[in-house]
Amino acid sequence: MAEAKPDQMDYYQQEDLLKPDYHPPKTGWMDTPVDFRPGSWIYPGKPKHLEYLGLPNPREWAVTDEDWKLPENWKEILLDGIQERLDKYRTFKIFMDVCVRCGACADKCHFFIGGGDPKNMPVLRAELLRSIYRKEYTLAGKLLGKMVGARELTIDVVKEWFYYFYQCTECRRCSVFCPYGIDTAEITMMGRELLGLLGIYVNWSIEPVANCFRTGNHLGIQPHGLKDTLEFFAEDIEEATGVKVKIPINKKGAEVLFVTPSGDFLADPGTYTCMGYMTLFNEIGLDYTWSTYASEGGNFGLFTSADVIKSLNAKIYAEAKRLGVKWILGGECGHMWRVLNQYMDTMNGPADFLEVPKSPITGTVFESAKSTKMVHISEFTADLIKHGKLKLDPSRNDHIRVTYHDSCNPARAMGLLEEPRYILNSVCNNFFEMPENTIREQTFCCGGGAGLGTDENMEMRLRGGLPRGNAVRYVQKKYEVNQLACVCAIDRATLITVCDYWAPGVTVTGITELVVNAMVLEGENDRSINLRLEPVGEQKEGSDDA
């Protein structure tokens, strides 16, 4: 997951990005062509990945080409696809029909706030698809056309879909404010599925999907590679703490299967979060196992299609059954938890072979996980702290002045709001909230989720990250905040860029890393360095204006 180099970020001047033009174009929205300028779109999926997955129309093409090499019957394919989804998903039909274009969602999208493009207002982005629905599937649209917001399906419409449905991170902030409960993220997902019928994908999403089918994780890590990585982490843990941790892998009969996003294996600062998991589980004596086959909790199917979601997610239950565990514990990942919390039971369940999760350390039964049999690491850790099972010295984090970013999917899709804050207040003496309208259910997105966190899309990432970056900058100035915590692997990667650009001097961390840095471990050394192998209490200097 490559991050932008400083010169790439410097290409976009802050004074320009801070002045989005909110004036609508002089032409009507149906007649305004897409502007494929550099930094605002993502490279298309490579044919080898489509071929491997058996997806339609694999070919070499470029977004800036006039000819996208679509099948001759592309229009028929799309209309059949729309009809199929209208028949299959009742919600899709409702979302197409009930919107009254009141505009309650209009100013809630981070891409509209940061960019000013009216087609990034959630209501209008949905109209890009809804207008075709009206034309083809409603009597009023067939008779009255543009008068009722209906239009013809053309090649330019397909290009428009690609441009704007990949300027939506499916964060669902707009849905919080919709008086009709329309989930615009679901409309984006339908739009992307329809594009996929023509072989139109972005490579940043479809390559991880192919890797996950091939090796069990997005990064293509082979079983021996994962084992080597965890052993390398164990060496760093021992250097930092003096404690030698055990690494149970593919252990049959373990009580708990632990699954986390593969970004935690290779991408800083997720690696420190992964070291935190390992240290925490070792300290409490948890009978758990890693799996080299279900080595990915994240699910990029959420960014491609429902069928892919189902296929990728199936491996978690399959591996739990093969290993004979009692229940499943999941790590810090955003979209992983939307899939698990909202789709897993209906798509891959019921998991009747598993038990309702019960902590072997505290005896707490996690009733909220009765359906999926899967518990979030923040729920598990908060329960440990509440029952006094961790010896904590929060002064070890006194050099940190931390704020918390509610990752969109755990917050809005899972309702995970209080547990992370309870943990932070237990392991840090200096915790500060960002403004109320930027957190909890109203949290702003990192700007790079849902398959958008790639370098060629940098302008849109910086624009989309502006609202979150602005809130971080606010607490940085007011409270001297120097660290941003979150429970999402994609956030931990993309927020580095957001903070470096909009709030330089603020670093990014996972929560489990902070927990272990504050833990007093049995048999530990003098703990003079933390999991990043930095001196305890050392605060890195930020930029001159931090």
Side-chain angles (χ1 to χ4, degrees):
M1 190 178 294
E3 279 302 309
K5 299 177 182 177
D7 58 336
Q8 291 175 287
M9 291 164 54
D10 291 343
Y11 177 80
Y12 302 101
Q13 300 300 313
Q14 279 197 9
E15 56 265 30
D16 296 330
L17 297 189
L18 282 170
K19 298 177 182 177
D21 183 4
Y22 293 109
H23 295 92
K26 294 181 180 179
T27 52
W29 72 267
M30 291 189 188
D31 303 313
T32 304
V34 173
D35 177 19
F36 285 109
R37 65 184 183 279
S40 65
W41 49 269
I42 306 172
Y43 297 144
K46 296 178 180 177
K48 65 179 181 180
H49 303 312
L50 274 66
E51 289 171 355
Y52 179 80
L53 295 166
L55 297 174
N57 198 25
R59 80 278 187 209
E60 292 285 352
W61 64 288
V63 173
T64 51
D65 291 343
E66 184 173 347
D67 181 5
W68 282 17
K69 302 178 182 177
L70 303 182
E72 289 186 7
N73 62 333
W74 64 268
K75 187 172 182 177
E76 178 185 352
I77 291 171
L78 286 182
L79 294 179
D80 287 348
I82 293 173
Q83 184 63 64
E84 179 185 352
R85 282 152 185 79
L86 289 170
D87 294 340
K88 186 176 182 180
Y89 303 112
R90 182 169 176 264
T91 52
F92 184 39
K93 179 72 164 62
I94 292 173
F95 295 160
M96 290 292 99
D97 283 330
V98 303
C99 178
V100 296
R101 291 178 279 189
C102 68
C105 67
D107 60 346
K108 306 306 187 294
C109 176
H110 45 283
F111 285 116
F112 176 67
I113 294 171
D117 187 336
K119 291 182 186 177
N120 270 328
M121 294 189 296
V123 58
L124 189 45
R125 190 188 296 116
E127 284 293 308
L128 304 182
L129 178 53
R130 192 178 284 121
S131 58
I132 304 302
Y133 164 78
R134 287 200 187 99
K135 178 65 177 177
E136 299 292 339
Y137 302 100
T138 70
L139 181 60
K142 290 177 179 178
L143 294 177
L144 301 176
K146 280 189 176 183
M147 190 180 300
V148 292
R151 61 174 176 165
E152 297 286 345
L153 178 57
T154 66
I155 293 288
D156 287 339
V157 169
V158 174
K159 293 183 178 182
E160 189 180 53
W161 285 1
F162 175 83
Y163 189 72
Y164 289 103
F165 289 143
Y166 283 101
Q167 285 183 22
C168 169
T169 50
E170 303 176 12
C171 80
R172 304 169 73 238
R173 188 174 192 264
C174 52
S175 303
V176 173
F177 298 90
C178 178
Y180 290 91
I182 296 171
D183 190 339
T184 311
E186 295 280 352
I187 298 175
T188 291
M189 292 164 66
M190 290 297 102
R192 291 187 182 186
E193 278 200 25
L194 293 169
L195 290 171
L197 299 177
L198 304 180
I200 300 174
Y201 295 93
V202 295
N203 199 64
W204 206 85
S205 290
I206 209 64
E207 182 171 350
V209 168
N211 286 340
C212 207
F213 268 88
R214 187 179 299 111
T215 67
N217 58 73
H218 296 157
L219 301 175
I221 304 171
Q222 301 284 352
H224 62 279
L226 176 59
K227 180 175 181 293
D228 290 346
T229 298
L230 295 178
E231 289 175 350
F232 178 79
F233 288 165
E235 293 175 4
D236 278 358
I237 292 169
E238 187 171 8
E239 181 179 351
T241 67
V243 175
K244 189 175 181 64
V245 301
K246 298 177 182 177
I247 313 172
I249 300 176
N250 298 333
K251 176 185 173 183
K252 289 195 173 184
E255 184 162 356
V256 176
L257 168 63
F258 181 66
V259 180
T260 196
S262 57
D264 286 350
F265 303 137
L266 289 181
D268 294 345
T271 51
Y272 311 121
T273 299
C274 192
M275 291 164 63
Y277 305 143
M278 297 167 68
T279 310
L280 172 65
F281 299 158
N282 187 80
E283 178 67 12
I284 64 176
L286 183 66
D287 180 17
Y288 84 106
T289 184
W290 299 86
S291 166
T292 57
Y293 302 100
S295 54
E296 179 65 72
N299 193 321
F300 272 40
L302 188 65
F303 315 146
T304 49
S305 75
D307 288 341
V308 175
I309 294 175
K310 182 176 180 179
S311 296
L312 295 184
N313 205 53
K315 67 182 180 299
I316 298 177
Y317 277 160
E319 189 66 350
K321 192 168 189 177
R322 185 184 76 87
L323 294 174
V325 301
K326 293 182 179 179
W327 55 279
I328 309 168
L329 181 62
E332 297 181 15
C333 179
H335 67 281
M336 163 181 170
W337 281 101
R338 184 178 185 201
V339 171
L340 300 178
N341 199 54
Q342 294 194 327
Y343 301 127
M344 188 173 192
D345 189 44
T346 53
M347 283 187 171
N348 303 108
D352 295 335
F353 59 93
L354 294 173
E355 300 177 7
V356 177
K358 178 180 179 180
S359 172
I361 313 301
T362 67
T364 296
V365 177
F366 294 96
E367 294 287 345
S368 60
K370 183 181 291 186
S371 174
T372 63
K373 313 297 192 298
M374 196 158 179
V375 174
H376 192 285
I377 185 67
S378 293
E379 299 172 292
F380 182 75
T381 304
D383 179 65
L384 292 173
I385 294 173
K386 181 180 179 180
H387 287 87
K389 298 301 182 180
L390 303 182
K391 187 176 181 181
L392 299 170
D393 179 5
S395 68
R396 292 179 174 181
N397 285 324
D398 275 356
H399 61 294
I400 295 170
R401 299 176 70 80
V402 66
T403 190
Y404 178 65
H405 164 73
D406 290 276
S407 300
C408 302
N409 286 310
R412 277 190 283 267
M414 192 182 179
L416 191 74
L417 304 174
E418 301 307 324
E419 292 89 343
R421 289 174 167 82
Y422 177 77
I423 295 169
L424 286 172
N425 278 309
S426 300
V427 303
C428 297
N429 290 321
N430 304 301
F431 171 61
F432 307 91
E433 290 278 19
M434 286 182 278
E436 196 170 317
N437 64 338
T438 73
I439 60 174
R440 299 180 185 272
E441 293 92 340
Q442 297 186 44
T443 187
F444 276 112
C445 182
C446 66
L452 309 189
T454 181
D455 288 356
E456 69 267 20
N457 193 42
M458 188 53 65
E459 179 188 336
M460 294 315 300
R461 285 179 58 187
L462 295 176
R463 289 188 182 279
L466 170 59
R468 172 47 75 224
N470 188 48
V472 175
R473 181 67 170 156
Y474 174 82
V475 290
Q476 183 188 34
K477 282 188 171 184
K478 186 171 183 178
Y479 304 115
E480 298 182 337
V481 161
N482 56 24
Q483 198 156 79
L484 175 63
C486 62
V487 289
C488 174
I490 286 180
D491 283 344
R492 283 195 296 271
T494 59
L495 284 171
I496 293 173
T497 299
V498 169
C499 289
D500 284 350
Y501 193 82
W502 295 116
V506 176
T507 58
V508 180
T509 181
I511 286 186
T512 308
E513 175 188 349
L514 298 182
V515 171
V516 170
N517 281 337
M519 284 174 61
V520 179
L521 307 173
E522 184 177 349
E524 69 175 16
N525 57 20
D526 61 4
R527 298 296 295 276
S528 59
I529 54 178
N530 60 24
L531 290 181
R532 301 190 182 200
L533 304 183
E534 299 168 345
V536 171
E538 179 180 280
Q539 180 176 337
K540 288 187 174 182
E541 293 185 7
S543 63
D544 293 339
D545 63 344

